[in-house]
Amino acid sequence: MAENGTLECITEHERILQEIESTDTACVGPTLRSIYDDQPNAHKRFMEKLDARIRNHDREIEKMCNFHHQGFVDAITELLKVRADAEKLMGQVTDTNRRLQDAGREVTTQTEEVIRCRIQQRNMTTTVEKLQLCIPVLEMYSKLKEQLESKRYYAALKTMEQLEKVYIPRVSQYRFCQIMAENLPRLREEIKEISMSDLKDFLESIRKHSDKVGETAMRQAQQHRTFHSAVAKQASMGHYTKPVYSLNGRTHTHNGLMMDDDMGEEEEADEEILTAHDLVDFSPVYRCLHIYTVLGDRETFENYYRKQRKKQARLVLQPQANMHETVEGYRRYFNQIVGFFVVEDHILHATRGLVTRAFTDELWNMALSKIIAVLRTHSSYCNDPDLVLELKNLIVIFADTLQDYGFLVNRLFDLLFEVRDQYNETLLKKWALVFREIFELDNYSPIPVETEEEYKVVVSRFPFHDAEVEKQDFPKKLPMSQSVPQIYTQVKEFIYASLKFSESLHRSSTEIDDMLRKSTNLLLTRTLSGCLQNLIKKPHIGLTELVQIIINTTHLEQACRYLEEFITNITNVSPETVHTTRLYGLSTFKDARHAAEGEIYTKLNQKIDEFIQLADYEWGMAESEGRASGYLMDLINFLRSTFQVFTHLPGKVAQTACMSACKHLSTSLMQMLLDTDLKQISMGAIQQFNLDVIQCELFASSEPVPGFQGDTLQLAFIDLRQLLDLFMVWDWSTYLADYGQPTSKYLRVNPATALALLEKVYRGMKDTSKKNNIFSQFRKNDRDKQKLIETVVRQLRSLVNGMSS
């Protein structure tokens, strides 16, 4: 086994030696390390093996050197022989070279000169070529500077674009080109800032010029409205007409008609047609738009422009606080708004996409809502109908102007209906003052007419027709007072004033007719009716005035059909048309007349009360004075004279007033007898009171107002008459026996009334018996009468209690 191990070790060492001989030196390390990793003392055996191999190689080298030594010696010998010839050749070559150098030195000098010239020529050619490349760049840059100085920014941007894309890339290696390239972005920013500054100046300029632009546009629109009827007439005659007005270079024609060139030139000579471009320089916005488009930042510009215009729109839409005071305030407000949207319309059509139709429509809708709110607020402060009418005309021109530019204005015409209501309210307030003044200045007496000319003047102002009055000779009197024709004339003036608002509203005749009738109804039913009611309630209006007011309202009521005809003639709408509104004047004047009649009844009763308050009865008198009381005779005389005035009133009114007065007088006299403050009444006072009632009955039977049948008026005093007869005749047995029967003589005497008066008479008799104690027989008669009264009182009380139970 030891021998086998030794043999393996020798074989391994042989392999390692072969590997060392065949591999690179750098890779020997791992091989040698493997020697030390093997068996102990293996390296010693390897070293021995290595020494043996080295000795073997040395022997081989020695053999090889010995084999080639003779050849080496022969070669050295040959070299030594050649050395002499080589040194000789070297000398010849050196001499030849010296002579060649001497000969070629001049040629070399000339050659170097030629080379230097060639290099200079080449450099010059290169320089010319480079300069030819640089000169256009410099020229373009110089051109750029000139364009910037002359504020031709759009052209400057185009030049920059050429420099960047065409010229600078050709000579980009030069520093000046690099400097140019670095300056171009800065120049672009400067152009953007300058153009933006110009845009801001433009926005400020159009804000200032919007008023003028709007004024021009609205004036031309007003001219269009003024000449529209003439244009239509010429069209119907087959003539042609020129465009009425033109804004922003767009011509507005109507009905497709054009006038001859000669006529057009003649009208243009009268007034030059201005456009928005004539009043405002739009070049800054065009220039800025082009600049931002070239710079690729158009969206930023569009957003900025629209944002600023929205801000300006809000400023334009903000009215002045005192705008409602004058029409000029409204005109300036409308001019600014029209100018704003005329400019926007021009921008919309002159640029591509800077503003869109959707943007202008959105702006207009926002503005329209604000305008309507402003006009509602400010028009409500206006109390002058002339100012409201001028405002309406401005709104119509404003709407027509913007409608020609494609803006929807239906809401403005709807607003005009609200303004119309405001206008009618101001008219009603104005005419209320007119009516009050007419009523205050009226003398409430029939109109005296001295001559036929005066009669015709009155009839021309008021439709009065009365055959009986016309038959009378002059001088004569018309039944109504002077306020009637004045009221009638003012109602017609109101209709004219109301009609003015309906002009240019693009409404049909039927709608205008309906408007006029409704506003006239308001005048009659509210304003005139209110003035009449207030007039009737005034304290200084007496019975005579009230009678005249009734007569006046009767004639005004009859004139209502003429007012309807008046409106029909204005609007040419037949009153038989379906849905035609009728005038409510009949009910108005009937109500006023009824109020006047009621006031007549009230004042008449108040006058009767004043006379009654003058009554001064001596309720304890022993005997009557033998004649009626003075206050009552004065009252009857007053009633007679008053009812004579009532002859001009309709029969029923006078009869009702007379009956009302008699009933009130009867009631007042009855209340006087039954007054709780009156404790006792003598029979003498009853007799005196009976005389006064007899005078009242005589007055009633004298027929102070014609038309009463039989003793109808006397029945007003029947309660008093039966009560007094009962006491005067002292017929208590009959009263008590027949009480409750329809044929009773004292049917109108109430037991409670008879009881109250009888108790007062009883107390009066007791007081009288205390004073009269001279004759005992008289005292005995009084005692018998008192007993009778006590019996009657008990029976009356039983009747009263029976009625209450």
Side-chain angles (χ1 to χ4, degrees):
M1 291 181 65
E3 290 178 357
N4 291 335
T6 303
L7 182 60
E8 291 178 0
C9 184
I10 293 171
T11 303
E12 180 65 23
H13 289 166
E14 189 67 27
R15 185 188 63 76
I16 291 173
L17 287 174
Q18 290 177 359
E19 186 175 346
I20 291 173
E21 290 175 351
S22 62
T23 59
D24 190 5
T25 307
C27 300
V28 174
T31 304
L32 293 177
R33 188 179 297 110
S34 64
I35 298 172
Y36 290 92
D37 293 339
D38 290 340
Q39 301 176 3
N41 298 323
H43 66 284
K44 291 182 180 182
R45 288 192 295 272
F46 177 75
M47 291 301 294
E48 293 173 355
K49 188 67 175 177
L50 181 61
D51 289 341
R53 179 61 63 89
I54 290 172
R55 286 193 298 273
N56 186 26
H57 282 298
D58 286 343
R59 284 193 297 272
E60 289 179 359
I61 291 171
E62 185 177 354
K63 287 179 182 181
M64 187 176 291
C65 287
N66 290 334
F67 177 75
H68 292 287
H69 178 69
Q70 188 59 42
F72 177 73
V73 172
D74 292 341
I76 292 300
T77 304
E78 288 294 329
L79 284 175
L80 288 174
K81 290 178 181 180
V82 174
R83 185 175 64 181
D85 294 336
E87 290 178 355
K88 182 178 177 181
L89 179 61
M90 184 63 182
Q92 292 176 353
V93 171
T94 302
D95 182 60
T96 302
N97 181 60
R98 179 182 56 75
R99 284 181 290 140
L100 182 61
Q101 290 293 333
D102 292 339
R105 185 173 289 108
E106 183 177 355
V107 176
T108 302
T109 302
Q110 294 178 354
T111 300
E112 290 176 353
E113 183 66 25
V114 171
I115 291 172
R116 186 175 60 78
C117 289
R118 291 288 179 86
I119 291 174
Q120 289 180 352
Q121 185 179 9
R122 183 185 62 193
N123 290 340
M124 290 175 64
T125 301
T126 302
T127 301
V128 170
E129 292 176 355
K130 298 301 181 183
L131 286 175
Q132 287 177 347
L133 291 175
C134 293
I135 285 175
V137 178
L138 296 173
E139 289 177 346
M140 291 296 290
Y141 196 78
S142 176
K143 180 181 178 182
L144 173 62
K145 289 294 185 181
E146 292 177 358
Q147 290 170 342
L148 291 175
E149 291 177 358
S150 60
K151 297 183 179 181
R152 296 165 55 203
Y153 300 117
Y154 179 71
L157 289 174
K158 290 295 185 182
T159 303
M160 288 184 191
E161 185 178 358
Q162 290 180 343
L163 279 172
E164 283 183 332
K165 294 182 178 180
V166 180
Y167 292 97
I168 290 181
R170 296 175 183 174
V171 289
S172 59
Q173 67 272 22
Y174 300 112
R175 187 177 180 187
F176 78 91
C177 289
Q178 296 175 0
I179 296 174
M180 286 182 184
E182 292 173 357
N183 284 338
L184 291 181
R186 181 180 57 81
L187 293 176
R188 281 195 176 93
E189 290 300 321
E190 289 181 0
I191 291 175
K192 286 180 67 174
E193 292 176 0
I194 293 173
S195 62
M196 184 57 70
S197 177
D198 291 344
L199 176 66
K200 292 177 180 178
D201 294 340
F202 166 78
L203 293 175
E204 181 65 21
S205 173
I206 60 174
R207 189 180 70 82
K208 294 179 180 178
H209 289 83
S210 291
D211 191 6
K212 182 64 176 177
V213 174
E215 180 183 357
T216 302
M218 290 185 67
R219 183 172 64 250
Q220 293 171 354
Q222 189 172 13
Q223 292 172 354
H224 156 63
R225 289 183 56 216
T226 303
F227 298 128
H228 182 70
S229 58
V231 171
K233 183 177 181 180
Q234 291 176 353
S236 63
M237 295 173 63
H239 291 170
Y240 295 91
T241 182
K242 68 181 288 289
V244 178
Y245 67 100
S246 172
L247 287 174
N248 292 350
R250 289 182 294 143
T251 301
H252 300 261
T253 60
H254 301 275
N255 300 326
L257 303 174
M258 296 292 292
M259 291 179 67
D260 295 336
D261 294 338
D262 294 339
M263 298 178 66
E265 291 175 359
E266 182 178 353
E267 288 192 9
E268 288 178 356
D270 295 337
E271 182 176 357
E272 181 182 359
I273 297 178
L274 299 177
T275 66
H277 196 275
D278 297 327
L279 300 173
V280 179
D281 180 15
F282 288 93
S283 59
V285 71
Y286 300 152
R287 183 165 56 248
C288 197
L289 175 62
H290 291 322
I291 288 171
Y292 272 78
T293 302
V294 171
L295 294 176
D297 205 8
R298 180 188 176 105
E299 185 177 356
T300 301
F301 173 74
E302 290 178 356
N303 293 336
Y304 177 81
Y305 176 84
R306 295 179 185 182
K307 182 179 179 181
Q308 293 301 315
R309 288 298 279 168
K310 281 186 177 180
K311 289 182 179 179
Q312 288 189 341
R314 293 188 181 94
L315 291 176
V316 167
L317 295 171
Q318 194 66 30
Q320 295 181 352
N322 60 343
M323 183 179 73
H324 60 277
E325 296 179 357
T326 61
V327 70
E328 289 302 321
Y330 287 108
R331 182 175 284 111
R332 284 194 299 271
Y333 182 67
F334 287 133
N335 286 344
Q336 290 177 355
I337 296 174
V338 170
F340 178 89
F341 283 100
V342 166
V343 169
E344 284 305 292
D345 183 78
H346 181 86
I347 294 294
L348 173 65
H349 291 86
T351 61
R352 295 182 179 179
L354 177 56
V355 294
T356 62
R357 173 55 68 181
F359 171 76
T360 55
D361 288 343
E362 177 187 357
L363 208 58
W364 169 243
N365 289 331
M366 179 271 291
L368 188 58
S369 299
K370 178 67 175 177
I371 292 168
I372 291 174
V374 167
L375 292 179
R376 279 176 179 160
T377 301
H378 283 263
S379 63
S380 64
Y381 299 145
C382 184
N383 296 320
D384 184 3
D386 295 332
L387 181 57
V388 177
L389 184 62
E390 291 180 343
L391 172 60
K392 165 258 174 181
N393 293 331
L394 283 177
I395 293 176
V396 171
I397 298 172
F398 173 74
D400 288 344
T401 304
L402 290 175
Q403 190 173 34
D404 288 331
Y405 284 91
F407 296 102
L408 298 177
V409 295
N410 294 336
R411 292 174 61 189
L412 284 175
F413 284 104
D414 294 338
L415 173 67
L416 285 174
F417 285 97
E418 299 180 23
V419 178
R420 181 198 64 191
D421 295 338
Q422 176 66 20
Y423 177 70
N424 285 337
E425 287 298 323
T426 57
L427 284 181
L428 293 175
K429 291 179 182 178
K430 178 179 178 180
W431 257 259
L433 297 176
V434 172
F435 290 151
R436 290 194 192 106
E437 184 178 2
I438 290 174
F439 289 140
E440 289 176 0
L441 298 178
D442 193 9
N443 57 8
Y444 297 99
S445 57
I447 301 175
V449 177
E450 300 294 334
T451 62
E452 186 175 358
E453 287 72 18
E454 292 182 6
Y455 178 78
K456 290 181 179 179
V457 170
V458 175
V459 173
S460 65
R461 296 172 57 198
F462 180 77
F464 174 75
H465 303 286
D466 191 320
E468 295 183 1
V469 174
E470 290 176 358
K471 292 178 182 179
Q472 296 176 4
D473 296 331
F474 293 99
K476 55 187 174 181
K477 291 184 178 181
L478 305 183
M480 67 278 189
S481 67
Q482 62 183 5
S483 64
V484 172
Q486 292 175 351
I487 293 292
Y488 183 80
T489 302
Q490 286 302 320
V491 172
K492 292 171 66 175
E493 290 296 326
F494 176 87
I495 294 173
Y496 278 126
S498 183
L499 178 64
K500 289 181 181 179
F501 194 91
S502 302
E503 297 174 352
S504 305
L505 287 186
H506 312 301
R507 299 293 172 181
S508 64
S509 299
T510 304
E511 290 176 305
I512 294 175
D513 182 85
D514 188 63
M515 293 179 192
L516 290 180
R517 291 177 183 273
K518 287 182 178 179
S519 59
T520 306
N521 277 332
L522 282 176
L523 178 73
L524 296 177
T525 59
R526 195 172 77 182
T527 305
L528 182 55
S529 176
C531 291
L532 284 171
Q533 296 292 342
N534 292 334
L535 174 67
I536 291 169
K537 298 296 182 181
K538 286 186 176 180
H540 69 275
I541 297 297
L543 292 171
T544 304
E545 288 81 2
L546 289 172
V547 170
Q548 188 62 54
I549 289 174
I550 292 176
I551 297 172
N552 290 348
T553 54
T554 302
H555 287 282
L556 287 173
E557 178 183 343
Q558 296 170 355
C560 282
R561 63 187 182 90
Y562 296 101
L563 289 176
E564 293 222 14
E565 293 177 1
F566 177 72
I567 295 176
T568 300
N569 293 332
I570 292 176
T571 60
N572 293 323
V573 176
S574 174
E576 285 75 21
T577 304
V578 181
H579 305 308
T580 299
T581 305
R582 301 297 179 183
L583 293 184
Y584 302 146
L586 296 178
S587 60
T588 297
F589 296 120
K590 283 182 180 178
D591 293 342
R593 188 161 58 252
H594 291 161
E597 292 171 2
E599 194 66 19
I600 285 178
Y601 306 150
T602 302
K603 287 186 178 296
L604 196 57
N605 292 341
Q606 290 175 352
K607 200 67 178 177
I608 292 173
D609 291 339
E610 292 177 3
F611 279 101
I612 294 294
Q613 290 175 0
L614 298 176
D616 187 16
Y617 286 103
E618 184 180 349
W619 296 108
M621 65 174 58
E623 293 181 359
S624 66
E625 297 177 354
R627 64 179 181 277
S629 302
Y631 84 92
L632 188 68
M633 297 307 297
D634 293 338
L635 172 58
I636 291 175
N637 292 332
F638 164 77
L639 292 176
R640 290 186 187 279
S641 61
T642 300
F643 291 140
Q644 287 178 357
V645 178
F646 285 9
T647 55
H648 298 291
L649 290 175
K652 291 184 179 180
V653 177
Q655 292 173 13
T656 304
C658 186
M659 178 60 75
S660 173
C662 291
K663 285 183 177 180
H664 185 73
L665 175 58
S666 175
T667 303
S668 300
L669 291 174
M670 181 68 77
Q671 291 175 351
M672 189 185 301
L673 283 176
L674 302 178
D675 187 5
T676 56
D677 294 334
L678 180 60
K679 301 301 181 181
Q680 58 186 22
I681 301 176
S682 66
M683 288 305 296
I686 293 291
Q687 294 171 0
Q688 180 64 41
F689 203 83
N690 183 55
L691 292 176
D692 292 343
V693 173
I694 290 173
Q695 290 298 322
C696 292
E697 291 173 331
L698 291 174
F699 168 74
S701 62
S702 67
E703 197 176 9
V705 173
F708 286 107
Q709 295 180 358
D711 56 352
T712 302
L713 192 58
Q714 291 176 272
L715 292 177
F717 300 97
I718 189 64
D719 292 353
L720 270 176
R721 170 47 49 213
Q722 291 186 6
L723 179 64
L724 292 175
D725 286 348
L726 178 61
F727 279 84
M728 293 294 294
V729 179
W730 204 254
D731 194 8
W732 292 105
S733 58
T734 304
Y735 174 76
L736 294 173
D738 296 342
Y739 176 76
Q741 297 180 8
T743 58
S744 174
K745 181 179 178 182
Y746 305 103
L747 181 65
R748 306 286 298 182
V749 179
N750 187 285
T753 304
L755 176 61
L757 184 58
L758 183 59
E759 289 178 341
K760 294 181 181 183
V761 172
Y762 178 60
R763 284 191 289 270
M765 293 180 65
K766 288 176 65 176
D767 185 67
T768 303
S769 64
K770 290 179 182 179
K771 297 178 181 178
N772 296 330
N773 50 11
I774 302 175
F775 301 103
S776 60
Q777 62 177 8
F778 291 158
R779 287 199 298 274
K780 183 177 183 300
N781 292 335
D782 289 341
R783 283 196 301 272
D784 293 340
K785 198 171 187 178
Q786 289 177 7
K787 289 179 181 179
L788 175 61
I789 291 175
E790 290 174 356
T791 303
V792 173
V793 167
R794 284 194 300 270
Q795 293 178 351
L796 288 175
R797 282 178 179 169
S798 64
L799 291 177
V800 172
N801 294 332
M803 293 174 60
S804 61
S805 61

